[in-house]
Amino acid sequence: VLETAVTLSDGFGPRLAGSEGWRRAARWAQDRLASFGARNIALEPWGKRGKGWELDWYSVDMTAPYYLHVYAMPNAWSPPIRGKLSGSPVVVTIRAESDYARYRGKLRGKIVMNGLPSPVRGRFDALARRFTDSYLDSLSKLTDPGDPQDYWDDIDGWAKSMEQRNRLADFYIKEGVAAVLTSSGNPNALSTSSFLGYSTDRSKAVPTFVLSKDHFSRIVRLAEKNPKQVKLDLTLRTRFTQTDSLGYNVIAEIPGTDPALASEVVMLGGHFDSWQAGTGATDNAAGCAVGMEVLRILNSVGARPRRTIRLAMWDGEEQEDYFGSGGYVLRHFGDPRTMTLKPEHSKLSAYYNFDSGTGKIRGIHLMGNTQARPILTAMLAPFADLGATAVTIRNDGGSDMVPFWGVGLPGFNLLQDPIDYDTRTHHTNLDVADYLLEDDLKQASVVLASLVYHTANRDEKIPRLPLPKARK
C-alpha cells in the first residue's frame, strides 16, 4: 500500500483535475488494479468538465529594497503573465461593501497584495497528534449529529464561501488588476486553500499567487511603511488544455458470487484529484492506495463476497459540488434536487469514504444513521487492538460521502487519526510522500477490507435514513 501511494504521489506530479498528471496516474492505477486481480476496471464518465490547466514555469522575486526569492505558488487555473510583470505592490483590504467603492478605479495594472497579515497562532501546539481513547469515547457518546445537518447544509455553506471569493475575484478582473498575491492560510506550509474561487471556468481571471505566510507578511509590512520602495518581479507560464470535454472516475470491482445478491453493491473510495502545491500524497493518494489495497487483499485471500464490491476513485472532489462523486450519484442513484431515484438506488448497501490523510482508522462517522450503529460496532470489534473502536453519530462534511447522503443512501466517512493533516499537509506544498505513514496505511487497508467484505456478505443491506425531501 505504501508503494502504491508513493508512486501515485511521486510518479506523476500533482493530479489536478483534468490535467495530464491526473490522466497518467489514472492509466497507471488501472494497470495496477488489473495486476491486483480487480475486474471491470474503467474510466467512467461522470459528466462534462471545463478546461484542464498545466503549469510550465513561474517565479516571484522581490528586487527592492533587497533581493528575496519569494516562496510562492500560482493558484490553479491562473492565466499566464505575458513576459515579466514588474512593479510596486498595493496592499488592498476588502472587508465591507464600502471597501469596494474605496478601491474602485484605483487598481488598474497593479500588483495587489490581498489582505493584511494575520497573527501566527498555535505555535505552542503539537503539529501532529493521535486521538486519545477518552476523546474517541466522547465521540461515541454523542447524541446530536451536529453540522452539516444535511446535504444542502454542506453544499450551501461551500457555495456561500465560493460566492464571496468569486465576487472579489470578479472585482479584480473588472478593475484590470495585473496580478493578485494572497497569504498562505497555513503558517507551517505553503497552502493553496486561500485561492480566490478559481475553477475550470475562470480562464479570464487575474493571475494569482499564494505566498508563504512569512514572506507575505514581510512584503506587506515593507509596502505599508514605504509603498514605492518595494519592487516585485512576477513570471507565470501556464496553459489551458481541452483534450477531452468529459471528466472521469476510476472504477474497479470484485464481482459478487451470490446469484441472489451479486447485483447489489458495496462501495468504497476516495478522491483521485489533488491540488498543485504538493503531489496529493495525504490528500488523497493515501485514500486511493488504501482502496486499491483492499481489492488486492481480498483477491489475495480468495475472498468471495456475496455482493459486488466496487472501488471508486473520484475526480473533481477539490472543486465545488463534488464533481466526480456527485456526477456518479446523479447518473446511478438519483437527483438530490428532485429526489427522482433510479433503479440502482435500491441496490447499494453502503459507501465507505477514506479522505482524512494518512492516519489509521479509529472508527466511523454514522452521519446520523443510528440504525447502523450496532452493525458497524460489531464489524469493528475485532480491531479494538488496532485502535478502531469509535462509532459516532456525528455528521461529517466536505468529502465524497456527501452526495450519497444527499439521496438517502448510507454514505459513511471513516474516522482517522489526524496526524499532521490539518497542521502541515492538507492542500499544501508538504502534501508529499514523505508524510505518508506505512503502518497506518496497512492498518487502514485491513480494517476497511473487513468492513466492505462483511457488508457485502450480510443477508440484509445496511439500514438507511429516511429519504430526504426534494428541494423546493
Side-chain angles (χ1 to χ4, degrees), residues 13 27 36 57 78 91 97 119 154 165 179 209 238 241 270 336 352 356 360-361 372 380 399 418 433-434 464:
R27 289 192 290 267
F36 290 168
W57 174 268
S78 189
V91 180
E97 189 67 32
D154 181 278
R165 293 177 180 181
F209 297 82
T238 63
T241 62
Y352 297 99
S356 296
K360 65 183 180 181
I361 293 173
L380 286 177
S399 194
D434 304 69
R464 301 180 176 188

mmCIF file with all atom_site columns, all heavy atoms in Angstrom, residues 13 27 36 57 78 91 97 119 154 165 179 209 238 241 270 336 352 356 360-361 372 380 399 418 433-434 464:
data_model
loop_
_atom_site.group_PDB
_atom_site.id
_atom_site.type_symbol
_atom_site.label_atom_id
_atom_site.label_alt_id
_atom_site.label_comp_id
_atom_site.label_asym_id
_atom_site.label_entity_id
_atom_site.label_seq_id
_atom_site.pdbx_PDB_ins_code
_atom_site.Cartn_x
_atom_site.Cartn_y
_atom_site.Cartn_z
_atom_site.occupancy
_atom_site.B_iso_or_equiv
_atom_site.pdbx_formal_charge
_atom_site.auth_seq_id
_atom_site.auth_comp_id
_atom_site.auth_asym_id
_atom_site.auth_atom_id
_atom_site.pdbx_PDB_model_num
ATOM 1   N N   . GLY A 1 13  ? 3.491   13.698 -10.507 1.00 0.00 ? 13  GLY A N   1
ATOM 2   C CA  . GLY A 1 13  ? 3.310   15.090 -10.135 1.00 0.00 ? 13  GLY A CA  1
ATOM 3   C C   . GLY A 1 13  ? 1.895   15.321 -9.629  1.00 0.00 ? 13  GLY A C   1
ATOM 4   O O   . GLY A 1 13  ? 1.142   14.382 -9.362  1.00 0.00 ? 13  GLY A O   1
ATOM 5   N N   . ARG A 1 27  ? -4.137  6.065  -15.681 1.00 0.00 ? 27  ARG A N   1
ATOM 6   C CA  . ARG A 1 27  ? -3.771  4.919  -16.519 1.00 0.00 ? 27  ARG A CA  1
ATOM 7   C C   . ARG A 1 27  ? -2.914  3.924  -15.732 1.00 0.00 ? 27  ARG A C   1
ATOM 8   O O   . ARG A 1 27  ? -3.092  2.705  -15.841 1.00 0.00 ? 27  ARG A O   1
ATOM 9   C CB  . ARG A 1 27  ? -3.029  5.408  -17.774 1.00 0.00 ? 27  ARG A CB  1
ATOM 10  C CG  . ARG A 1 27  ? -3.928  6.131  -18.779 1.00 0.00 ? 27  ARG A CG  1
ATOM 11  C CD  . ARG A 1 27  ? -3.218  6.329  -20.101 1.00 0.00 ? 27  ARG A CD  1
ATOM 12  N NE  . ARG A 1 27  ? -2.138  7.300  -20.016 1.00 0.00 ? 27  ARG A NE  1
ATOM 13  C CZ  . ARG A 1 27  ? -2.260  8.589  -20.271 1.00 0.00 ? 27  ARG A CZ  1
ATOM 14  N NH1 . ARG A 1 27  ? -3.444  9.091  -20.614 1.00 0.00 ? 27  ARG A NH1 1
ATOM 15  N NH2 . ARG A 1 27  ? -1.220  9.406  -20.195 1.00 0.00 ? 27  ARG A NH2 1
ATOM 16  N N   . PHE A 1 36  ? -3.725  -6.546 -9.504  1.00 0.00 ? 36  PHE A N   1
ATOM 17  C CA  . PHE A 1 36  ? -4.274  -6.979 -8.219  1.00 0.00 ? 36  PHE A CA  1
ATOM 18  C C   . PHE A 1 36  ? -5.455  -7.935 -8.385  1.00 0.00 ? 36  PHE A C   1
ATOM 19  O O   . PHE A 1 36  ? -6.032  -8.387 -7.396  1.00 0.00 ? 36  PHE A O   1
ATOM 20  C CB  . PHE A 1 36  ? -4.749  -5.778 -7.404  1.00 0.00 ? 36  PHE A CB  1
ATOM 21  C CG  . PHE A 1 36  ? -3.638  -4.893 -6.879  1.00 0.00 ? 36  PHE A CG  1
ATOM 22  C CD1 . PHE A 1 36  ? -3.944  -3.644 -6.342  1.00 0.00 ? 36  PHE A CD1 1
ATOM 23  C CD2 . PHE A 1 36  ? -2.317  -5.293 -6.906  1.00 0.00 ? 36  PHE A CD2 1
ATOM 24  C CE1 . PHE A 1 36  ? -2.943  -2.819 -5.845  1.00 0.00 ? 36  PHE A CE1 1
ATOM 25  C CE2 . PHE A 1 36  ? -1.312  -4.476 -6.422  1.00 0.00 ? 36  PHE A CE2 1
ATOM 26  C CZ  . PHE A 1 36  ? -1.619  -3.236 -5.888  1.00 0.00 ? 36  PHE A CZ  1
ATOM 27  N N   . TRP A 1 57  ? 6.002   27.203 -15.811 1.00 0.00 ? 57  TRP A N   1
ATOM 28  C CA  . TRP A 1 57  ? 7.099   27.962 -15.199 1.00 0.00 ? 57  TRP A CA  1
ATOM 29  C C   . TRP A 1 57  ? 6.511   29.117 -14.405 1.00 0.00 ? 57  TRP A C   1
ATOM 30  O O   . TRP A 1 57  ? 5.500   29.700 -14.799 1.00 0.00 ? 57  TRP A O   1
ATOM 31  C CB  . TRP A 1 57  ? 8.040   28.512 -16.272 1.00 0.00 ? 57  TRP A CB  1
ATOM 32  C CG  . TRP A 1 57  ? 9.117   29.417 -15.729 1.00 0.00 ? 57  TRP A CG  1
ATOM 33  C CD1 . TRP A 1 57  ? 9.056   30.776 -15.611 1.00 0.00 ? 57  TRP A CD1 1
ATOM 34  C CD2 . TRP A 1 57  ? 10.388  29.028 -15.209 1.00 0.00 ? 57  TRP A CD2 1
ATOM 35  N NE1 . TRP A 1 57  ? 10.216  31.268 -15.045 1.00 0.00 ? 57  TRP A NE1 1
ATOM 36  C CE2 . TRP A 1 57  ? 11.057  30.209 -14.797 1.00 0.00 ? 57  TRP A CE2 1
ATOM 37  C CE3 . TRP A 1 57  ? 11.023  27.808 -15.051 1.00 0.00 ? 57  TRP A CE3 1
ATOM 38  C CZ2 . TRP A 1 57  ? 12.330  30.186 -14.234 1.00 0.00 ? 57  TRP A CZ2 1
ATOM 39  C CZ3 . TRP A 1 57  ? 12.296  27.789 -14.503 1.00 0.00 ? 57  TRP A CZ3 1
ATOM 40  C CH2 . TRP A 1 57  ? 12.932  28.970 -14.098 1.00 0.00 ? 57  TRP A CH2 1
ATOM 41  N N   . SER A 1 78  ? -4.886  29.641 -12.954 1.00 0.00 ? 78  SER A N   1
ATOM 42  C CA  . SER A 1 78  ? -4.472  31.025 -13.104 1.00 0.00 ? 78  SER A CA  1
ATOM 43  C C   . SER A 1 78  ? -3.948  31.230 -14.518 1.00 0.00 ? 78  SER A C   1
ATOM 44  O O   . SER A 1 78  ? -3.131  30.453 -15.002 1.00 0.00 ? 78  SER A O   1
ATOM 45  C CB  . SER A 1 78  ? -3.376  31.355 -12.081 1.00 0.00 ? 78  SER A CB  1
ATOM 46  O OG  . SER A 1 78  ? -3.105  32.729 -12.059 1.00 0.00 ? 78  SER A OG  1
ATOM 47  N N   . VAL A 1 91  ? -1.278  47.247 -1.205  1.00 0.00 ? 91  VAL A N   1
ATOM 48  C CA  . VAL A 1 91  ? -1.969  46.464 -0.182  1.00 0.00 ? 91  VAL A CA  1
ATOM 49  C C   . VAL A 1 91  ? -3.441  46.830 -0.188  1.00 0.00 ? 91  VAL A C   1
ATOM 50  O O   . VAL A 1 91  ? -3.805  47.998 -0.024  1.00 0.00 ? 91  VAL A O   1
ATOM 51  C CB  . VAL A 1 91  ? -1.359  46.710 1.209   1.00 0.00 ? 91  VAL A CB  1
ATOM 52  C CG1 . VAL A 1 91  ? -2.094  45.878 2.263   1.00 0.00 ? 91  VAL A CG1 1
ATOM 53  C CG2 . VAL A 1 91  ? 0.128   46.369 1.201   1.00 0.00 ? 91  VAL A CG2 1
ATOM 54  N N   . GLU A 1 97  ? -18.769 46.326 2.190   1.00 0.00 ? 97  GLU A N   1
ATOM 55  C CA  . GLU A 1 97  ? -19.245 46.864 0.913   1.00 0.00 ? 97  GLU A CA  1
ATOM 56  C C   . GLU A 1 97  ? -18.570 48.177 0.571   1.00 0.00 ? 97  GLU A C   1
ATOM 57  O O   . GLU A 1 97  ? -18.238 48.450 -0.592  1.00 0.00 ? 97  GLU A O   1
ATOM 58  C CB  . GLU A 1 97  ? -20.762 47.049 0.974   1.00 0.00 ? 97  GLU A CB  1
ATOM 59  C CG  . GLU A 1 97  ? -21.402 47.408 -0.351  1.00 0.00 ? 97  GLU A CG  1
ATOM 60  C CD  . GLU A 1 97  ? -21.313 46.270 -1.356  1.00 0.00 ? 97  GLU A CD  1
ATOM 61  O OE1 . GLU A 1 97  ? -21.342 45.097 -0.935  1.00 0.00 ? 97  GLU A OE1 1
ATOM 62  O OE2 . GLU A 1 97  ? -21.215 46.566 -2.567  1.00 0.00 ? 97  GLU A OE2 1
ATOM 63  N N   . PRO A 1 119 ? -2.209  37.086 12.706  1.00 0.00 ? 119 PRO A N   1
ATOM 64  C CA  . PRO A 1 119 ? -1.245  36.583 13.694  1.00 0.00 ? 119 PRO A CA  1
ATOM 65  C C   . PRO A 1 119 ? -0.945  35.103 13.505  1.00 0.00 ? 119 PRO A C   1
ATOM 66  O O   . PRO A 1 119 ? -1.802  34.335 13.054  1.00 0.00 ? 119 PRO A O   1
ATOM 67  C CB  . PRO A 1 119 ? -1.963  36.830 15.030  1.00 0.00 ? 119 PRO A CB  1
ATOM 68  C CG  . PRO A 1 119 ? -3.000  37.863 14.735  1.00 0.00 ? 119 PRO A CG  1
ATOM 69  C CD  . PRO A 1 119 ? -3.421  37.641 13.325  1.00 0.00 ? 119 PRO A CD  1
ATOM 70  N N   . ASP A 1 154 ? -24.322 21.289 3.738   1.00 0.00 ? 154 ASP A N   1
ATOM 71  C CA  . ASP A 1 154 ? -22.934 21.185 3.306   1.00 0.00 ? 154 ASP A CA  1
ATOM 72  C C   . ASP A 1 154 ? -22.719 21.946 1.998   1.00 0.00 ? 154 ASP A C   1
ATOM 73  O O   . ASP A 1 154 ? -21.789 22.749 1.872   1.00 0.00 ? 154 ASP A O   1
ATOM 74  C CB  . ASP A 1 154 ? -22.572 19.710 3.117   1.00 0.00 ? 154 ASP A CB  1
ATOM 75  C CG  . ASP A 1 154 ? -21.130 19.506 2.700   1.00 0.00 ? 154 ASP A CG  1
ATOM 76  O OD1 . ASP A 1 154 ? -20.824 19.641 1.502   1.00 0.00 ? 154 ASP A OD1 1
ATOM 77  O OD2 . ASP A 1 154 ? -20.311 19.200 3.581   1.00 0.00 ? 154 ASP A OD2 1
ATOM 78  N N   . ARG A 1 165 ? -15.762 34.618 -2.527  1.00 0.00 ? 165 ARG A N   1
ATOM 79  C CA  . ARG A 1 165 ? -14.459 34.631 -3.170  1.00 0.00 ? 165 ARG A CA  1
ATOM 80  C C   . ARG A 1 165 ? -14.569 35.050 -4.634  1.00 0.00 ? 165 ARG A C   1
ATOM 81  O O   . ARG A 1 165 ? -13.756 35.836 -5.132  1.00 0.00 ? 165 ARG A O   1
ATOM 82  C CB  . ARG A 1 165 ? -13.820 33.242 -3.086  1.00 0.00 ? 165 ARG A CB  1
ATOM 83  C CG  . ARG A 1 165 ? -13.453 32.815 -1.675  1.00 0.00 ? 165 ARG A CG  1
ATOM 84  C CD  . ARG A 1 165 ? -12.906 31.407 -1.682  1.00 0.00 ? 165 ARG A CD  1
ATOM 85  N NE  . ARG A 1 165 ? -12.538 30.972 -0.333  1.00 0.00 ? 165 ARG A NE  1
ATOM 86  C CZ  . ARG A 1 165 ? -12.010 29.790 -0.069  1.00 0.00 ? 165 ARG A CZ  1
ATOM 87  N NH1 . ARG A 1 165 ? -11.790 28.934 -1.042  1.00 0.00 ? 165 ARG A NH1 1
ATOM 88  N NH2 . ARG A 1 165 ? -11.693 29.448 1.166   1.00 0.00 ? 165 ARG A NH2 1
ATOM 89  N N   . ALA A 1 179 ? -2.102  41.408 -11.246 1.00 0.00 ? 179 ALA A N   1
ATOM 90  C CA  . ALA A 1 179 ? -1.843  40.165 -10.523 1.00 0.00 ? 179 ALA A CA  1
ATOM 91  C C   . ALA A 1 179 ? -2.275  40.337 -9.079  1.00 0.00 ? 179 ALA A C   1
ATOM 92  O O   . ALA A 1 179 ? -2.311  41.459 -8.557  1.00 0.00 ? 179 ALA A O   1
ATOM 93  C CB  . ALA A 1 179 ? -0.371  39.764 -10.589 1.00 0.00 ? 179 ALA A CB  1
ATOM 94  N N   . PHE A 1 209 ? -1.172  34.386 -7.113  1.00 0.00 ? 209 PHE A N   1
ATOM 95  C CA  . PHE A 1 209 ? -0.198  33.566 -6.409  1.00 0.00 ? 209 PHE A CA  1
ATOM 96  C C   . PHE A 1 209 ? -0.546  33.521 -4.929  1.00 0.00 ? 209 PHE A C   1
ATOM 97  O O   . PHE A 1 209 ? -1.039  34.501 -4.364  1.00 0.00 ? 209 PHE A O   1
ATOM 98  C CB  . PHE A 1 209 ? 1.216   34.141 -6.531  1.00 0.00 ? 209 PHE A CB  1
ATOM 99  C CG  . PHE A 1 209 ? 1.765   34.186 -7.930  1.00 0.00 ? 209 PHE A CG  1
ATOM 100 C CD1 . PHE A 1 209 ? 1.437   35.225 -8.791  1.00 0.00 ? 209 PHE A CD1 1
ATOM 101 C CD2 . PHE A 1 209 ? 2.621   33.198 -8.383  1.00 0.00 ? 209 PHE A CD2 1
ATOM 102 C CE1 . PHE A 1 209 ? 1.961   35.283 -10.075 1.00 0.00 ? 209 PHE A CE1 1
ATOM 103 C CE2 . PHE A 1 209 ? 3.147   33.244 -9.670  1.00 0.00 ? 209 PHE A CE2 1
ATOM 104 C CZ  . PHE A 1 209 ? 2.815   34.287 -10.512 1.00 0.00 ? 209 PHE A CZ  1
ATOM 105 N N   . THR A 1 238 ? 1.505   29.388 -18.033 1.00 0.00 ? 238 THR A N   1
ATOM 106 C CA  . THR A 1 238 ? 0.526   28.321 -17.858 1.00 0.00 ? 238 THR A CA  1
ATOM 107 C C   . THR A 1 238 ? -0.189  28.082 -19.181 1.00 0.00 ? 238 THR A C   1
ATOM 108 O O   . THR A 1 238 ? -0.173  28.917 -20.076 1.00 0.00 ? 238 THR A O   1
ATOM 109 C CB  . THR A 1 238 ? -0.516  28.664 -16.779 1.00 0.00 ? 238 THR A CB  1
ATOM 110 O OG1 . THR A 1 238 ? -1.263  29.826 -17.189 1.00 0.00 ? 238 THR A OG1 1
ATOM 111 C CG2 . THR A 1 238 ? 0.139   28.945 -15.442 1.00 0.00 ? 238 THR A CG2 1
ATOM 112 N N   . THR A 1 241 ? -5.862  23.506 -21.372 1.00 0.00 ? 241 THR A N   1
ATOM 113 C CA  . THR A 1 241 ? -5.963  22.387 -22.306 1.00 0.00 ? 241 THR A CA  1
ATOM 114 C C   . THR A 1 241 ? -7.388  21.862 -22.348 1.00 0.00 ? 241 THR A C   1
ATOM 115 O O   . THR A 1 241 ? -8.161  22.017 -21.404 1.00 0.00 ? 241 THR A O   1
ATOM 116 C CB  . THR A 1 241 ? -5.017  21.250 -21.890 1.00 0.00 ? 241 THR A CB  1
ATOM 117 O OG1 . THR A 1 241 ? -5.399  20.773 -20.591 1.00 0.00 ? 241 THR A OG1 1
ATOM 118 C CG2 . THR A 1 241 ? -3.570  21.735 -21.849 1.00 0.00 ? 241 THR A CG2 1
ATOM 119 N N   . GLY A 1 270 ? -12.215 7.131  -2.450  1.00 0.00 ? 270 GLY A N   1
ATOM 120 C CA  . GLY A 1 270 ? -11.608 8.390  -2.060  1.00 0.00 ? 270 GLY A CA  1
ATOM 121 C C   . GLY A 1 270 ? -11.330 9.162  -3.336  1.00 0.00 ? 270 GLY A C   1
ATOM 122 O O   . GLY A 1 270 ? -11.414 8.608  -4.434  1.00 0.00 ? 270 GLY A O   1
ATOM 123 N N   . PRO A 1 336 ? -30.526 14.725 -6.066  1.00 0.00 ? 336 PRO A N   1
ATOM 124 C CA  . PRO A 1 336 ? -30.860 15.253 -4.742  1.00 0.00 ? 336 PRO A CA  1
ATOM 125 C C   . PRO A 1 336 ? -31.796 16.459 -4.789  1.00 0.00 ? 336 PRO A C   1
ATOM 126 O O   . PRO A 1 336 ? -32.423 16.777 -3.772  1.00 0.00 ? 336 PRO A O   1
ATOM 127 C CB  . PRO A 1 336 ? -29.500 15.629 -4.158  1.00 0.00 ? 336 PRO A CB  1
ATOM 128 C CG  . PRO A 1 336 ? -28.618 15.858 -5.338  1.00 0.00 ? 336 PRO A CG  1
ATOM 129 C CD  . PRO A 1 336 ? -29.095 14.887 -6.379  1.00 0.00 ? 336 PRO A CD  1
ATOM 130 N N   . TYR A 1 352 ? -18.277 3.623  1.784   1.00 0.00 ? 352 TYR A N   1
ATOM 131 C CA  . TYR A 1 352 ? -17.286 3.970  2.804   1.00 0.00 ? 352 TYR A CA  1
ATOM 132 C C   . TYR A 1 352 ? -16.245 4.897  2.180   1.00 0.00 ? 352 TYR A C   1
ATOM 133 O O   . TYR A 1 352 ? -15.590 4.533  1.190   1.00 0.00 ? 352 TYR A O   1
ATOM 134 C CB  . TYR A 1 352 ? -16.617 2.712  3.351   1.00 0.00 ? 352 TYR A CB  1
ATOM 135 C CG  . TYR A 1 352 ? -17.568 1.778  4.059   1.00 0.00 ? 352 TYR A CG  1
ATOM 136 C CD1 . TYR A 1 352 ? -18.100 0.660  3.408   1.00 0.00 ? 352 TYR A CD1 1
ATOM 137 C CD2 . TYR A 1 352 ? -17.947 2.008  5.375   1.00 0.00 ? 352 TYR A CD2 1
ATOM 138 C CE1 . TYR A 1 352 ? -18.970 -0.198 4.048   1.00 0.00 ? 352 TYR A CE1 1
ATOM 139 C CE2 . TYR A 1 352 ? -18.823 1.152  6.037   1.00 0.00 ? 352 TYR A CE2 1
ATOM 140 C CZ  . TYR A 1 352 ? -19.332 0.054  5.363   1.00 0.00 ? 352 TYR A CZ  1
ATOM 141 O OH  . TYR A 1 352 ? -20.209 -0.796 6.006   1.00 0.00 ? 352 TYR A OH  1
ATOM 142 N N   . SER A 1 356 ? -9.084  11.520 4.957   1.00 0.00 ? 356 SER A N   1
ATOM 143 C CA  . SER A 1 356 ? -8.623  12.385 6.046   1.00 0.00 ? 356 SER A CA  1
ATOM 144 C C   . SER A 1 356 ? -7.143  12.197 6.311   1.00 0.00 ? 356 SER A C   1
ATOM 145 O O   . SER A 1 356 ? -6.694  12.237 7.455   1.00 0.00 ? 356 SER A O   1
ATOM 146 C CB  . SER A 1 356 ? -9.438  12.118 7.326   1.00 0.00 ? 356 SER A CB  1
ATOM 147 O OG  . SER A 1 356 ? -10.794 12.469 7.128   1.00 0.00 ? 356 SER A OG  1
ATOM 148 N N   . LYS A 1 360 ? -4.364  6.160  10.619  1.00 0.00 ? 360 LYS A N   1
ATOM 149 C CA  . LYS A 1 360 ? -5.087  4.897  10.661  1.00 0.00 ? 360 LYS A CA  1
ATOM 150 C C   . LYS A 1 360 ? -6.547  5.125  11.034  1.00 0.00 ? 360 LYS A C   1
ATOM 151 O O   . LYS A 1 360 ? -6.935  6.164  11.572  1.00 0.00 ? 360 LYS A O   1
ATOM 152 C CB  . LYS A 1 360 ? -4.423  3.939  11.644  1.00 0.00 ? 360 LYS A CB  1
ATOM 153 C CG  . LYS A 1 360 ? -4.444  4.369  13.104  1.00 0.00 ? 360 LYS A CG  1
ATOM 154 C CD  . LYS A 1 360 ? -3.673  3.357  13.947  1.00 0.00 ? 360 LYS A CD  1
ATOM 155 C CE  . LYS A 1 360 ? -3.658  3.749  15.414  1.00 0.00 ? 360 LYS A CE  1
ATOM 156 N NZ  . LYS A 1 360 ? -2.895  2.768  16.229  1.00 0.00 ? 360 LYS A NZ  1
ATOM 157 N N   . ILE A 1 361 ? -7.365  4.136  10.749  1.00 0.00 ? 361 ILE A N   1
ATOM 158 C CA  . ILE A 1 361 ? -8.803  4.202  11.042  1.00 0.00 ? 361 ILE A CA  1
ATOM 159 C C   . ILE A 1 361 ? -9.015  4.009  12.534  1.00 0.00 ? 361 ILE A C   1
ATOM 160 O O   . ILE A 1 361 ? -8.559  3.036  13.129  1.00 0.00 ? 361 ILE A O   1
ATOM 161 C CB  . ILE A 1 361 ? -9.573  3.139  10.242  1.00 0.00 ? 361 ILE A CB  1
ATOM 162 C CG1 . ILE A 1 361 ? -9.522  3.459  8.737   1.00 0.00 ? 361 ILE A CG1 1
ATOM 163 C CG2 . ILE A 1 361 ? -11.026 3.052  10.715  1.00 0.00 ? 361 ILE A CG2 1
ATOM 164 C CD1 . ILE A 1 361 ? -10.117 2.377  7.852   1.00 0.00 ? 361 ILE A CD1 1
ATOM 165 N N   . ALA A 1 372 ? -27.519 1.966  11.945  1.00 0.00 ? 372 ALA A N   1
ATOM 166 C CA  . ALA A 1 372 ? -26.315 1.254  11.518  1.00 0.00 ? 372 ALA A CA  1
ATOM 167 C C   . ALA A 1 372 ? -25.323 1.063  12.663  1.00 0.00 ? 372 ALA A C   1
ATOM 168 O O   . ALA A 1 372 ? -24.362 0.303  12.528  1.00 0.00 ? 372 ALA A O   1
ATOM 169 C CB  . ALA A 1 372 ? -25.643 2.008  10.377  1.00 0.00 ? 372 ALA A CB  1
ATOM 170 N N   . LEU A 1 380 ? -16.441 -3.589 13.658  1.00 0.00 ? 380 LEU A N   1
ATOM 171 C CA  . LEU A 1 380 ? -15.170 -3.032 14.109  1.00 0.00 ? 380 LEU A CA  1
ATOM 172 C C   . LEU A 1 380 ? -14.601 -3.746 15.333  1.00 0.00 ? 380 LEU A C   1
ATOM 173 O O   . LEU A 1 380 ? -13.409 -3.616 15.629  1.00 0.00 ? 380 LEU A O   1
ATOM 174 C CB  . LEU A 1 380 ? -15.331 -1.545 14.428  1.00 0.00 ? 380 LEU A CB  1
ATOM 175 C CG  . LEU A 1 380 ? -15.457 -0.588 13.247  1.00 0.00 ? 380 LEU A CG  1
ATOM 176 C CD1 . LEU A 1 380 ? -15.682 0.834  13.739  1.00 0.00 ? 380 LEU A CD1 1
ATOM 177 C CD2 . LEU A 1 380 ? -14.223 -0.650 12.351  1.00 0.00 ? 380 LEU A CD2 1
ATOM 178 N N   . SER A 1 399 ? -16.551 15.939 1.863   1.00 0.00 ? 399 SER A N   1
ATOM 179 C CA  . SER A 1 399 ? -15.926 14.892 1.060   1.00 0.00 ? 399 SER A CA  1
ATOM 180 C C   . SER A 1 399 ? -16.999 14.083 0.344   1.00 0.00 ? 399 SER A C   1
ATOM 181 O O   . SER A 1 399 ? -18.188 14.394 0.391   1.00 0.00 ? 399 SER A O   1
ATOM 182 C CB  . SER A 1 399 ? -15.037 13.997 1.930   1.00 0.00 ? 399 SER A CB  1
ATOM 183 O OG  . SER A 1 399 ? -14.196 13.212 1.109   1.00 0.00 ? 399 SER A OG  1
ATOM 184 N N   . PRO A 1 418 ? -5.713  12.226 13.100  1.00 0.00 ? 418 PRO A N   1
ATOM 185 C CA  . PRO A 1 418 ? -5.401  13.427 12.308  1.00 0.00 ? 418 PRO A CA  1
ATOM 186 C C   . PRO A 1 418 ? -3.935  13.544 11.908  1.00 0.00 ? 418 PRO A C   1
ATOM 187 O O   . PRO A 1 418 ? -3.625  14.164 10.887  1.00 0.00 ? 418 PRO A O   1
ATOM 188 C CB  . PRO A 1 418 ? -5.812  14.571 13.233  1.00 0.00 ? 418 PRO A CB  1
ATOM 189 C CG  . PRO A 1 418 ? -5.791  13.989 14.611  1.00 0.00 ? 418 PRO A CG  1
ATOM 190 C CD  . PRO A 1 418 ? -6.163  12.554 14.463  1.00 0.00 ? 418 PRO A CD  1
ATOM 191 N N   . ALA A 1 433 ? 5.028   12.535 -0.431  1.00 0.00 ? 433 ALA A N   1
ATOM 192 C CA  . ALA A 1 433 ? 5.141   11.159 0.056   1.00 0.00 ? 433 ALA A CA  1
ATOM 193 C C   . ALA A 1 433 ? 5.893   11.032 1.372   1.00 0.00 ? 433 ALA A C   1
ATOM 194 O O   . ALA A 1 433 ? 5.698   10.058 2.110   1.00 0.00 ? 433 ALA A O   1
ATOM 195 C CB  . ALA A 1 433 ? 5.807   10.295 -1.008  1.00 0.00 ? 433 ALA A CB  1
ATOM 196 N N   . ASP A 1 434 ? 6.759   12.006 1.692   1.00 0.00 ? 434 ASP A N   1
ATOM 197 C CA  . ASP A 1 434 ? 7.488   11.958 2.962   1.00 0.00 ? 434 ASP A CA  1
ATOM 198 C C   . ASP A 1 434 ? 6.556   11.850 4.161   1.00 0.00 ? 434 ASP A C   1
ATOM 199 O O   . ASP A 1 434 ? 6.948   11.338 5.211   1.00 0.00 ? 434 ASP A O   1
ATOM 200 C CB  . ASP A 1 434 ? 8.335   13.225 3.132   1.00 0.00 ? 434 ASP A CB  1
ATOM 201 C CG  . ASP A 1 434 ? 9.291   13.443 1.978   1.00 0.00 ? 434 ASP A CG  1
ATOM 202 O OD1 . ASP A 1 434 ? 8.794   13.734 0.875   1.00 0.00 ? 434 ASP A OD1 1
ATOM 203 O OD2 . ASP A 1 434 ? 10.500  13.322 2.170   1.00 0.00 ? 434 ASP A OD2 1
ATOM 204 N N   . ARG A 1 464 ? -31.030 2.375  6.183   1.00 0.00 ? 464 ARG A N   1
ATOM 205 C CA  . ARG A 1 464 ? -30.953 3.716  5.629   1.00 0.00 ? 464 ARG A CA  1
ATOM 206 C C   . ARG A 1 464 ? -31.723 4.720  6.477   1.00 0.00 ? 464 ARG A C   1
ATOM 207 O O   . ARG A 1 464 ? -32.676 4.367  7.177   1.00 0.00 ? 464 ARG A O   1
ATOM 208 C CB  . ARG A 1 464 ? -31.531 3.735  4.207   1.00 0.00 ? 464 ARG A CB  1
ATOM 209 C CG  . ARG A 1 464 ? -30.832 2.805  3.259   1.00 0.00 ? 464 ARG A CG  1
ATOM 210 C CD  . ARG A 1 464 ? -31.441 2.858  1.869   1.00 0.00 ? 464 ARG A CD  1
ATOM 211 N NE  . ARG A 1 464 ? -30.693 2.005  0.938   1.00 0.00 ? 464 ARG A NE  1
ATOM 212 C CZ  . ARG A 1 464 ? -30.902 1.977  -0.372  1.00 0.00 ? 464 ARG A CZ  1
ATOM 213 N NH1 . ARG A 1 464 ? -31.852 2.749  -0.906  1.00 0.00 ? 464 ARG A NH1 1
ATOM 214 N NH2 . ARG A 1 464 ? -30.185 1.185  -1.138  1.00 0.00 ? 464 ARG A NH2 1
#
